[in-house]
Amino acid sequence: MVKKSMIAVFTLLIGLSLMNEGKAQTYATGVGLRAGVSNGLTVKHFIQSDVALEGILHTRWRGLVITGLYEVHKNIREVRGLRWFYGGGAHIGSWNSGNPPPPWADSGYRGSTIVGIDGIIGLDYKFDDAPINLSLDWKPAFNIINGGGFWGDEVALSIRFTF
């Protein structure tokens, strides 16, 4: 169900960007919400015209995770304002116990601190006539300390106010 919803959002994003061809522009900083498998806040700031740093504060398994990413953005020439991006970074956080426990944990799970590395790939679009940015991405992660190794289910849509 989530996969079908994300495909629909991706299709909508592409459709909107094709309708607004030639009307989008870039931005320096964006602050907003991230919704997907985990939900939270996102801040993206460009340190060069094609390089951004992104910070994400999000919840998962009744815990809190902080992620820092370095992202390289590439223009899609056919659609002004639409870029694809890739990058990587790291995360640290904690997952708390709960009832029922997460599906990968045993019944005695009491929570844990997690540390790991992240990758990211996605699309980023800035509307010209509004200070709004949409970003759709896939962010796989590998927990080095605790938390079950590889996590490849992190697909999210970010909506940011830009300035």
Side-chain angles (χ1 to χ4, degrees):
M1 180 70 174
V2 172
K3 190 174 184 180
K4 287 181 182 179
S5 297
M6 294 313 293
I7 290 171
V9 170
F10 179 76
T11 303
L12 178 64
L13 181 62
I14 293 295
L16 286 173
S17 64
L18 291 174
M19 288 179 0
N20 290 319
E21 183 174 348
K23 294 183 180 179
Q25 63 184 2
T26 60
Y27 60 99
T29 303
V31 178
L33 301 174
R34 180 177 169 86
V37 173
S38 62
N39 300 309
L41 305 174
T42 173
V43 176
K44 184 182 281 195
H45 178 73
F46 282 86
I47 57 174
Q48 296 175 11
S49 63
D50 62 345
V51 176
L53 299 177
E54 183 173 2
I56 302 169
L57 177 66
H58 59 106
T59 60
R60 182 128 195 210
W61 303 117
R62 298 179 184 97
L64 195 62
V65 180
I66 299 170
T67 304
L69 299 163
Y70 178 91
E71 301 171 350
V72 177
H73 290 244
K74 301 290 184 183
N75 288 329
I76 297 176
R77 283 187 239 177
E78 294 79 19
V79 184
R80 185 172 168 219
L82 180 64
R83 296 175 165 189
W84 72 279
F85 64 93
Y86 63 91
H91 65 268
I92 186 169
S94 67
W95 292 343
N96 297 322
S97 62
N99 195 7
W104 46 266
D106 61 28
S107 61
Y109 178 73
R110 299 283 182 254
S112 61
T113 298
I114 57 165
V115 176
I117 56 174
D118 298 75
I120 192 164
I121 188 167
L123 292 171
D124 190 85
Y125 182 74
K126 166 65 176 83
F127 291 94
D128 182 40
D129 35 353
I132 303 293
N133 161 253
L134 295 177
S135 182
L136 180 65
D137 63 67
W138 176 54
K139 188 180 74 62
F142 186 83
N143 290 327
I144 299 168
I145 299 175
N146 297 325
F150 180 73
W151 290 81
D153 63 347
E154 195 60 48
V155 175
L157 175 67
S158 296
I159 301 172
R160 298 183 192 93
F161 174 77
T162 62
F163 46 95

